[in-house]
């Protein structure tokens, strides 16, 4: 066992002495040591109950013949950090989480791992760390939240609360209605109930084979979710007790090029968050898989968009997808396409191939998960746009864009920060026919690549969602909907063309052409470039200063350089 380095031989008597202080007995030193990476955090709705979930996993590991060692990671709640300087720490936290996993598992030479994440950067951070450690690892998330409901039957989610702020600002709802939405939008523990980033990543864990079926859709705080935890714990011990299985199920044997491909296929079929592009590019780099934005557009052209979930369709949430057959039913339907876009021969952590896992998963409600021939679109739900404004690419969630916004030309209204944009939008600076430009919010320029849910929600709440577009070198919450284009690369801080846009410039967006163009004469742009100087923000945080020095742009996954 890998853990023999800390527990076997006379020279390890001091090590065993320390382990005995934690409660270990003689018989434990012949058992596999299993790390439990838990993201239990009181302030995050998807995480405040994960200490109880970890206890279930620990009890099951002991019963199955392993020795569990729980440790924790940090986590940022994007909704709570949204709209203020706290959001600067959100994306950088992914790197800290990956580093924590690597540190804990390698410093103590543990044999295998169970990861218990739930929300946004915590899932990809754990995936990145698990790839570095490369021991058998199972992911079992905390599960999605139930959708909320008003007394009149209106279905709610977190997005409803953000958009209600814009509606209240415009006088469209009163304070009583705003308070009711606030109180009922998030009715229980779990990751926010739509196909936002957390649930997108948890479904992709199923697609990649590193989690059990149901990981992305079984509701949090349910008996079914607890049974999933027990199954995961039993399986990891079964693997760790068998030397051949330990070698077979090393993490990189499962999360490889084909698995990354499958993740993007499912992402397109379900219209996941634009953040999945950012995270999956980073995961691909950790897996040493050559995957770029061009590859994503190729996949999108081969996959039908068969499931619309909030925010794309506000009445459908993760509980509905589970009732309709879950992620396995989505994958089985995709697998029926003649182009065979899904790799069915990939290994899953439960031992069967992906094809074997999904073979009997059928759609139980074709209104929720559509068949290929009746898809919302014969193209995937995400699109990479290119043009002079995005030479290295930009990302659009086509699944959440109104038809009339898919071909749009408007005049620019520019803001050099999210805070400036929020003030400008609330103050009436943005009108129908505008393209809002928010820049210096990329990975380097932010630093930290803030999510833009507050300004996008204000635009929707003010009734401008089908006549105003928004582009940014920052990113969006998975809850964002509308003509919102993020991850513009190169970013403003590195001299990207987005830095040279001026108020009144015409910007053209074409989904059919996959283009994002600034309609300004090249000689004018050359003159602007000659005068341009990057905005230098004061960064007080030592961590964020270090992050800004090392981080790549969004087209490269916003990963940290390991060489300078």
């Amino acid at each position: 066992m890998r853990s023999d380095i800390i527990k076997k031989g006379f020279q390890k008597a001091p090590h065993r002495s320390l382990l005995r202080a934690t409660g270990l007995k003689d018989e434990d030193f012949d058992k596999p040591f299993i790390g439990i990476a838990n993201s239990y955090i009181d302030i995050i709705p998807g995480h405040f109950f994960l200490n109880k979930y970890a206890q279930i996993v620990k009890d099951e590991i002991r019963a199955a013949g392993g020795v569990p060692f729980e440790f924790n990671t940090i986590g940022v709640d994007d909704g709570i950090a949204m709209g203020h300087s706290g959001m600067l720490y959100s994306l950088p936290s992914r790197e800290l989480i990956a580093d924590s996993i690597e540190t804990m598992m390698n410093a103590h030479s543990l044999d295998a791992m169970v990861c218990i994440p739930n929300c946004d950067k915590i899932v990809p951070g754990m995936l990145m760390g698990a790839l570095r450690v490369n021991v058998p690892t199972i992911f079992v998330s905390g599960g999605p939240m139930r959708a909320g409901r008003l007394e009149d039957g209106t279905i709610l989610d977190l997005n409803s609360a953000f958009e209600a702020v814009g509606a209240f600002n415009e006088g469209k709802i009163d304070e009583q209605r705003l308070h009711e939405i606030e109180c009922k939008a998030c009715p229980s523990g779990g990751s926010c109930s739509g196909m936002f980033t957390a649930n997108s990543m948890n479904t992709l864990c199923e697609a990649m084979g590193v989690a059990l079926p149901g990981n992305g859709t079984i509701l949090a705080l349910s008996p079914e979710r607890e049974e999933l935890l027990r199954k995961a714990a039993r399986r990891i011990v079964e693997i760790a007790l068998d030397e051949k299985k330990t070698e077979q199920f090393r993490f990189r044997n499962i999360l490889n090029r084909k698995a990354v491909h499958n993740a993007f296929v499912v992402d397109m079929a379900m219209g996941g968050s634009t953040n999945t592009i950012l995270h999956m590019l980073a995961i691909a780099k950790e897996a040493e898989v050559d995957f770029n934005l061009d590859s994503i557009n190729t996949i999108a052209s081969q996959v039908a968009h068969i499931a619309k979930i909030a925010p794309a369709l506000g009445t459908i949430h993760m509980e509905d997808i589970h009732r309709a057959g879950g992620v396995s039913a989505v994958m089985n339907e995709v697998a029926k396409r003649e182009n065979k876009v899904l790799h069915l021969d990939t290994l899953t952590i439960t031992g069967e191939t992906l094809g074997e896992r999904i073979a009997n998963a059928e759609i139980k409600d074709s209104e929720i998960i559509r068949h290929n021939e009746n898809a919302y679109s014969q193209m995937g739900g995400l699109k990479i746009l290119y043009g002079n404004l995005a030479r290295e690419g930009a990302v659009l969630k086509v699944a959440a864009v109104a038809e009339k916004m898919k071909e749009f030309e408007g005049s620019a209204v520019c803001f050099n920060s999210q805070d400036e944009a929020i003030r400008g939008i609330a103050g009436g600076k943005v009108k129908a026919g505008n393209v809002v430009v928010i820049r210096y919010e990329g990975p380097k320029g932010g630093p930290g690549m803030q999510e833009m849910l507050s300004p996008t929600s204000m635009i929707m709440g003010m009734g401008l969602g089908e006549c105003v577009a928004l582009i940014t070198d920052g990113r969006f919450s998975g809850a964002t909907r509308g003509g919102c284009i993020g991850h513009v690369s190169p970013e403003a801080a590195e001299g990207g063309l987005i830095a040279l846009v001026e108020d009144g410039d015409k910007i053209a967006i074409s989904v059919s052409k996959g283009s994002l163009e600034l309609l300004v004469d090249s000689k004018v742009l050359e003159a602007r470039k000659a005068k341009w100087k990057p905005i230098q923000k004061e960064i007080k945080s030592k961590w964020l200063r270090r992050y800004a020095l090392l981080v790549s742009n969004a087209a490269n996954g916003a990963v940290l350089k390991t060489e300078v």
Side-chain angles (χ1 to χ4, degrees):
M1 293 182 191
R2 190 173 107 119
S3 60
D4 285 351
I5 198 171
I6 66 167
K7 67 186 183 184
K8 292 293 184 180
F10 74 92
Q11 292 176 321
K12 298 304 187 293
H15 303 64
R16 290 192 297 274
S17 183
L18 289 167
L19 289 165
R20 289 178 192 277
T22 70
L24 267 62
K25 308 296 182 186
D26 283 345
E27 59 269 22
D28 293 321
F29 295 108
D30 290 323
K31 299 174 182 177
F33 284 6
I34 313 293
I36 300 173
N38 188 9
S39 54
Y40 158 66
I41 297 155
D42 279 339
I43 201 168
I44 304 180
H47 294 246
F48 72 88
F49 53 89
L50 296 186
N51 56 337
K52 296 174 184 175
Y53 278 11
Q55 190 60 53
I56 291 171
V57 171
K58 285 194 287 187
D59 289 346
E60 204 67 35
I61 285 174
R62 287 192 190 95
V67 180
F69 291 99
E70 180 186 359
F71 61 92
N72 281 82
T73 71
I74 65 162
V76 173
D77 185 296
D78 282 8
I80 297 171
M82 193 74 66
H84 59 92
S85 60
M87 181 50 73
L88 297 174
Y89 292 90
S90 173
L91 184 59
S93 73
R94 186 187 72 185
E95 312 309 310
L96 295 176
I97 292 163
D99 290 347
S100 296
I101 296 286
E102 178 187 355
T103 300
M104 287 298 299
M105 290 296 294
N106 284 348
H108 304 102
S109 297
L110 303 181
D111 297 301
M113 180 164 56
V114 176
C115 287
I116 312 177
N118 216 16
C119 295
D120 205 343
K121 285 81 41 213
I122 298 160
V123 183
M126 286 188 174
L127 286 165
M128 292 161 70
L131 281 163
R132 296 179 196 172
V133 176
N134 198 27
V135 299
T137 301
I138 292 182
F139 276 70
V140 55
S141 76
M145 181 187 292
R146 288 186 294 108
R149 285 183 183 272
L150 294 178
E151 287 187 10
D152 63 10
T154 301
I155 300 173
L156 302 174
D157 50 48
L158 177 64
N159 199 36
S160 309
F162 274 98
E163 292 188 4
V165 172
F168 178 76
N169 189 67
E170 288 293 289
K172 294 182 177 181
I173 61 172
D174 59 20
E175 190 170 354
Q176 183 178 351
R177 182 72 167 187
L178 177 64
H179 185 258
E180 185 186 7
I181 293 170
E182 171 192 330
C183 292
K184 294 180 178 178
C186 299
S188 65
S191 47
C192 296
S193 54
M195 193 66 171
F196 310 147
T197 308
N199 290 328
S200 296
M201 289 306 305
N202 286 327
T203 60
L204 298 195
C205 284
E206 287 191 54
M208 291 185 287
V210 301
L212 277 59
N215 182 70
T217 57
I218 296 172
L219 283 176
L221 300 170
S222 66
E224 194 177 359
R225 177 60 63 171
E226 290 186 9
E227 183 54 32
L228 197 72
L229 293 161
R230 294 187 180 94
K231 286 180 181 178
R234 291 194 294 268
R235 176 59 180 167
I236 203 66
V237 176
E238 179 187 345
I239 293 169
L241 284 170
D242 186 314
E243 187 176 348
K244 289 183 179 179
K245 286 182 179 178
T246 297
E247 190 61 35
Q248 180 186 9
F249 291 99
R250 285 185 180 276
F251 203 63
R252 286 174 176 266
N253 291 345
I254 298 174
L255 210 173
N256 51 26
R257 180 176 177 78
K258 287 184 177 180
V260 171
H261 174 95
N262 285 346
F264 280 121
V265 169
V266 173
D267 208 8
M268 295 300 167
M270 299 183 71
S273 162
T274 53
N275 281 322
T276 58
I277 304 291
L278 191 70
H279 295 321
M280 285 307 305
L281 287 174
I283 289 162
K285 287 184 182 296
E286 287 287 359
E288 298 177 352
V289 167
D290 183 18
F291 229 95
N292 55 41
L293 291 175
D294 288 334
S295 305
I296 296 167
N297 266 351
T298 300
I299 292 172
S301 69
Q302 299 173 330
V303 181
H305 180 207
I306 60 174
K308 267 197 178 185
I309 310 149
L313 190 59
T315 56
I316 305 298
H317 294 83
M318 298 312 292
E319 61 201 88
D320 303 305
I321 296 295
H322 186 64
R323 176 175 53 80
V327 180
S328 290
V330 171
M331 288 192 283
N332 194 27
E333 185 63 22
V334 171
K336 294 174 183 177
R337 291 176 66 90
E338 290 183 6
N339 60 14
K340 307 298 181 187
V341 66
L342 202 63
H343 294 301
L344 299 178
D345 59 344
T346 55
L347 180 66
T348 70
I349 193 65
T350 40
E352 74 275 22
T353 65
L354 185 70
E356 291 167 341
R357 174 185 281 193
I358 67 174
N360 298 316
E362 296 297 333
I363 296 171
K364 299 175 183 177
D365 186 338
S366 58
E367 292 296 314
I368 304 298
I369 302 172
R370 293 189 174 186
H371 295 285
N372 288 312
E373 58 272 17
N374 188 37
Y376 289 101
S377 167
Q378 291 303 317
M379 297 283 289
L382 296 170
K383 181 89 172 183
I384 310 301
L385 307 181
Y386 292 96
N388 64 354
L389 260 175
R391 283 189 294 104
E392 296 178 25
V395 182
L396 173 65
K397 186 172 184 173
V398 183
V401 179
E403 203 61 38
K404 64 185 292 185
M405 291 295 293
K406 291 181 179 178
E407 307 294 323
F408 185 80
E409 183 178 315
S411 55
V413 180
C414 301
F415 303 101
N416 290 327
S417 71
Q418 180 180 207
D419 290 345
E420 188 180 313
I422 291 170
R423 290 193 298 270
I425 295 167
K429 191 174 180 180
V430 174
K431 309 292 185 185
N434 285 155
V435 178
V436 176
V437 178
I438 306 178
R439 58 197 174 196
Y440 294 99
E441 290 291 6
K444 188 178 292 294
M449 203 178 184
Q450 295 195 68
E451 288 187 343
M452 303 289 164
L453 184 56
S454 292
T456 60
S457 296
M458 288 181 73
I459 288 169
M460 296 301 298
M462 292 165 68
L464 298 173
E466 294 192 9
C467 53
V468 168
L470 186 150
I471 69 169
T472 179
D473 53 10
R475 63 195 180 101
F476 300 116
S477 163
T480 289
R481 61 191 178 100
C484 302
I485 299 166
H487 307 199
V488 170
S489 299
E491 61 174 291
E494 59 180 340
L497 191 62
I498 190 172
L500 306 182
V501 182
E502 294 184 359
D503 286 352
D505 286 351
K506 293 294 183 181
I507 294 174
I509 300 163
S510 173
V511 173
S512 62
K513 296 177 182 176
S515 63
L516 177 61
E517 297 283 346
L518 177 63
L519 305 180
V520 175
D521 185 82
S522 59
K523 290 184 178 179
V524 174
L525 294 177
E526 286 174 12
R528 291 181 189 177
K529 181 70 173 179
K531 297 178 182 178
W532 173 77
K533 291 182 180 179
I535 292 175
Q536 298 292 336
K537 295 182 180 178
E538 182 184 2
I539 308 172
K540 294 181 180 179
S541 163
K542 291 182 179 179
W543 160 225
L544 293 181
R545 285 205 299 269
R546 188 164 72 250
Y547 182 82
L549 287 171
L550 295 174
V551 72
S552 69
N553 65 25
N556 289 288
V559 296
L560 297 187
K561 299 172 186 174
T562 54
E563 296 179 7
V564 291

